[in-house]
Amino acid sequence: MQREEKQLEASLETILLRVNDLKNSIAAMIFKLENESDNLNWPTFLDNFALISSQLVSLSKMLGHDKCPPLRNLAVLPLLLSPERDEQLLRLTEHRVPMFSHDLVPDYLRTKPVPEAEQKMLQLEHKATTMSVETIQKQMSAYSKVVGLVWELVSKAREEWESEGSARAGPTITSSMADTQTLVMAIATGKGLKGTMGQGAVPPNMIGPPGRPGVGNAPLPPSQMQQQMGPMGKVPSGIKTNIKAATQIHPYAR
């Protein structure tokens, strides 16, 4: 009897460790989905899912091992029921179960499904056993067609996503050497610019080439400056005016 109890305790400790590992993996995956969904990629999600799947398979194998006692033959009975808050129970259950009352015990120690769910499962099992082979084949064909269509859509979306990712992986070109050369030639020599000024004229805000007087900001010779300046040092205006003397008319003249 003591040997069986020791074996049961050892098995329960091992199962508890595996269940805690599984719980931590599920909690980590839920945390990533809720808080890191923007940075979460598909390979990382598949890795987490594969870890959870392997832990479930390992737990199932452990429960079905010969050395593990059949837990379904054991009954769990509550030793104490209290409607008051239990701090130790709250700590052991990570703040999920605050008390072990008469209302909560049937739900937490239930070994069978809820009667409504059990009745629904029996109805589905009966419907599956009474269905004809032809109907099953038709439904399987329809499901296979739907799955194939979804697979094609997913594959196409994956190919587009991979092609876009490979295109973004290369260096992004933000300049053109030809446009740069054209802009430099336009600024330096005025190539390609269309202006209204005469031949060889340079805008006032640009410096003309050396040796060419009168162009840009280069000073003019005194003789040429005097020719351009009129008498009294005034520049002749290009606007012609015609001033006529107005006849003074008295406002009360008749």
Side-chain angles (χ1 to χ4, degrees), residues 22 25-26 29 32-33 42-57:
L22 179 61
S25 300
I26 295 175
M29 187 174 183
K32 289 182 179 180
L33 290 175
W42 186 246
T44 305
F45 181 81
L46 290 180
D47 293 340
N48 294 334
F49 189 81
L51 177 61
I52 294 174
S53 178
S54 63
Q55 289 175 349
L56 286 173
V57 172

Side-chain angles (χ1 to χ4, degrees), residues 181-199:
Q181 294 293 336
T182 303
L183 184 60
V184 171
M185 294 297 293
I187 294 175
T189 62
K191 182 179 180 181
L193 298 179
K194 295 180 180 180
T196 57
M197 292 178 295
Q199 183 71 21

Side-chain angles (χ1 to χ4, degrees), residues 70-83:
L71 300 179
R72 66 180 60 185
N73 297 333
L74 301 176
V76 180
L77 300 175
L79 299 178
L80 178 63
L81 297 178
S82 175

Side-chain angles (χ1 to χ4, degrees), residues 42-106:
W42 186 246
T44 305
F45 181 81
L46 290 180
D47 293 340
N48 294 334
F49 189 81
L51 177 61
I52 294 174
S53 178
S54 63
Q55 289 175 349
L56 286 173
V57 172
S58 177
L59 182 61
S60 300
K61 290 182 178 180
M62 181 180 297
L63 294 175
H65 199 271
D66 297 335
K67 294 183 179 181
C68 182
L71 300 179
R72 66 180 60 185
N73 297 333
L74 301 176
V76 180
L77 300 175
L79 299 178
L80 178 63
L81 297 178
S82 175
E84 298 179 357
R85 183 184 180 91
D86 191 350
E87 296 296 336
Q88 184 177 3
L89 180 63
L90 192 66
R91 180 176 56 82
L92 292 175
T93 58
E94 297 180 357
H95 300 276
R96 289 193 299 269
V97 182
M99 63 187 68
F100 216 53
S101 61
H102 298 77
D103 298 334
L104 299 178
V105 166

Side-chain angles (χ1 to χ4, degrees), residues 23-243:
K23 182 188 67 175
N24 294 332
S25 300
I26 295 175
M29 187 174 183
I30 294 175
F31 179 81
K32 289 182 179 180
L33 290 175
E34 292 180 350
N35 301 304
E36 301 178 2
S37 58
D38 297 337
N39 300 327
L40 185 64
N41 51 16
W42 186 246
T44 305
F45 181 81
L46 290 180
D47 293 340
N48 294 334
F49 189 81
L51 177 61
I52 294 174
S53 178
S54 63
Q55 289 175 349
L56 286 173
V57 172
S58 177
L59 182 61
S60 300
K61 290 182 178 180
M62 181 180 297
L63 294 175
H65 199 271
D66 297 335
K67 294 183 179 181
C68 182
L71 300 179
R72 66 180 60 185
N73 297 333
L74 301 176
V76 180
L77 300 175
L79 299 178
L80 178 63
L81 297 178
S82 175
E84 298 179 357
R85 183 184 180 91
D86 191 350
E87 296 296 336
Q88 184 177 3
L89 180 63
L90 192 66
R91 180 176 56 82
L92 292 175
T93 58
E94 297 180 357
H95 300 276
R96 289 193 299 269
V97 182
M99 63 187 68
F100 216 53
S101 61
H102 298 77
D103 298 334
L104 299 178
V105 166
D107 294 332
Y108 285 113
L109 300 183
R110 185 185 299 275
T111 57
K112 295 179 64 177
V114 182
E116 293 79 4
E118 187 176 7
Q119 184 68 23
K120 187 67 175 179
M121 291 175 62
L122 291 175
Q123 292 177 2
L124 294 175
E125 290 177 359
H126 179 71
K127 182 179 179 181
T129 54
T130 57
M131 191 177 295
S132 61
V133 180
E134 295 180 357
T135 306
I136 295 175
Q137 292 293 336
K138 289 181 180 179
Q139 290 186 358
M140 290 178 61
S141 301
Y143 291 155
S144 300
K145 186 176 180 180
V146 172
V147 172
L149 180 60
V150 173
W151 177 259
E152 291 179 359
L153 294 176
V154 172
S155 300
K156 184 178 179 180
R158 181 180 180 181
E159 292 177 358
E160 293 178 356
W161 178 69
E162 290 179 352
S163 61
E164 291 178 359
S166 60
R168 288 196 301 266
T172 304
I173 300 176
T174 58
S175 62
S176 174
M177 185 58 66
D179 294 343
T180 304
Q181 294 293 336
T182 303
L183 184 60
V184 171
M185 294 297 293
I187 294 175
T189 62
K191 182 179 180 181
L193 298 179
K194 295 180 180 180
T196 57
M197 292 178 295
Q199 183 71 21
V202 179
N205 58 347
M206 296 183 63
I207 300 175
R212 295 177 60 184
V215 180
N217 293 334
L220 296 175
S223 59
Q224 188 174 356
M225 185 179 297
Q226 186 175 3
Q227 293 177 2
Q228 290 186 3
M229 301 286 289
M232 302 298 293
K234 296 183 179 179
V235 179
S237 175
I239 302 175
K240 297 180 180 180
T241 58
N242 188 6
I243 302 174

